[in-house]
Amino acid sequence: MKKFLVILLSALCILSLTACGDSKKNSENATTDKKSDNQQTSGKDESGNQSEIKSPLDLLNTVWNTYKDDEKFSAAGGEMTEDKMVMDAPGEHGVTDSAVLDTSFGFPPAAADKIDAAASLIHMMNANTFTCAAYHVKNADDVSEITGLLKDNIMQRQWICGFPDKLVVVTVDDYIVSFFGENEIVNTFKTKLTAAYSSANVVIEEMIE
């Protein structure tokens, strides 16, 4: 029963973000849901040594694991179903449903076929407080185009139940991490992400108005 209530609260959290999103939704679907094993990049493990990113989930877990217990907030990751949702940590998210990626994270449907894996971390109390998603881009040459589309798609949303303060988009070679929410929480995540990966590049950092 407890797990059911947690899932219900998480679903309501996602639905609140959907209600706050852009009123015009594109229903395109992506065509793949595979992870790429041959396109990897480097970051730093807990000892400061270089390590390889195996997936978007691996990337988010690396950042989340740098948080001290008193720095962490109530969060959940992955898809909001009983068998796939992860409590208090990032979780893997499918990429075949472009409409869900759009409503949940603001990922542009027109670019959904350019990614093959995703993961997420969302504040349990309110998705506008913090929503983060990481994506693996099939072709690194598409990263710049996707980040532009991602920014436009999120910034043009019609927020009707409270505004997140800031949007940040960071690239780590062929990975994209986007996150928006309360200013302090966003800044902390940005600092930890850029400290964890030497190739991290903050390409977008704008207040949401």
Side-chain angles (χ1 to χ4, degrees):
M1 176 63 72
K2 182 178 179 181
K3 189 172 184 179
F4 172 78
L5 290 175
V6 169
I7 293 172
L8 180 60
L9 285 172
S10 300
L12 290 174
C13 175
I14 294 297
L15 287 174
S16 71
L17 176 60
T18 303
C20 293
D22 191 339
S23 59
K24 295 180 180 180
K25 299 299 176 185
N26 190 318
S27 62
E28 292 182 50
N29 290 324
T31 58
T32 61
D33 190 16
K34 296 181 180 178
K35 293 180 183 178
S36 173
D37 294 326
N38 57 8
Q39 289 181 303
Q40 299 177 338
T41 186
S42 61
K44 296 179 181 178
D45 60 23
E46 292 181 356
S47 64
N49 298 320
Q50 292 298 305
S51 60
E52 293 182 334
I53 300 176
K54 299 177 178 65
S55 67
L57 179 58
D58 181 45
L59 189 159
L60 291 187
N61 275 328
T62 296
V63 178
W64 189 241
N65 289 338
T66 66
Y67 279 73
K68 298 177 182 178
D69 288 341
D70 60 354
E71 293 177 318
K72 291 184 176 180
F73 48 87
S74 178
E79 299 179 37
M80 297 298 116
T81 61
E82 185 173 2
D83 59 330
K84 294 184 178 181
M85 186 180 70
V86 179
M87 293 301 303
D88 301 318
E92 186 178 34
H93 199 287
V95 297
T96 56
D97 192 332
S98 61
V100 170
L101 292 176
D102 184 12
T103 56
S104 299
F105 314 120
F107 190 85
D113 62 346
K114 298 181 184 296
I115 60 173
D116 56 12
S120 65
L121 181 70
I122 298 177
H123 199 292
M124 282 290 293
M125 300 306 294
N126 189 334
N128 287 345
T129 300
F130 185 75
T131 288
C132 174
Y135 313 96
H136 178 256
V137 181
K138 297 177 186 178
N139 186 340
D141 292 338
D142 292 328
V143 168
S144 179
E145 176 189 358
I146 294 172
T147 56
L149 292 172
L150 184 58
K151 172 192 170 182
D152 292 343
N153 197 48
I154 292 176
M155 297 298 281
Q156 71 183 5
R157 284 174 174 266
Q158 297 178 3
W159 307 97
I160 59 174
C161 56
F163 283 79
D165 295 328
K166 180 188 283 188
L167 166 67
V168 175
V169 179
V170 177
T171 62
V172 188
D173 294 347
D174 51 359
Y175 288 85
I176 297 173
V177 186
S178 69
F179 44 104
F180 55 83
E182 192 273 330
N183 193 52
E184 183 176 351
I185 296 177
V186 168
N187 286 340
T188 298
F189 192 87
K190 180 191 69 174
T191 298
K192 290 183 176 294
L193 172 57
T194 54
Y197 293 102
S198 57
S199 59
N201 181 30
V202 179
V203 294
I204 295 168
E205 183 171 4
E206 293 190 16
M207 302 304 291
I208 298 175
E209 299 179 354

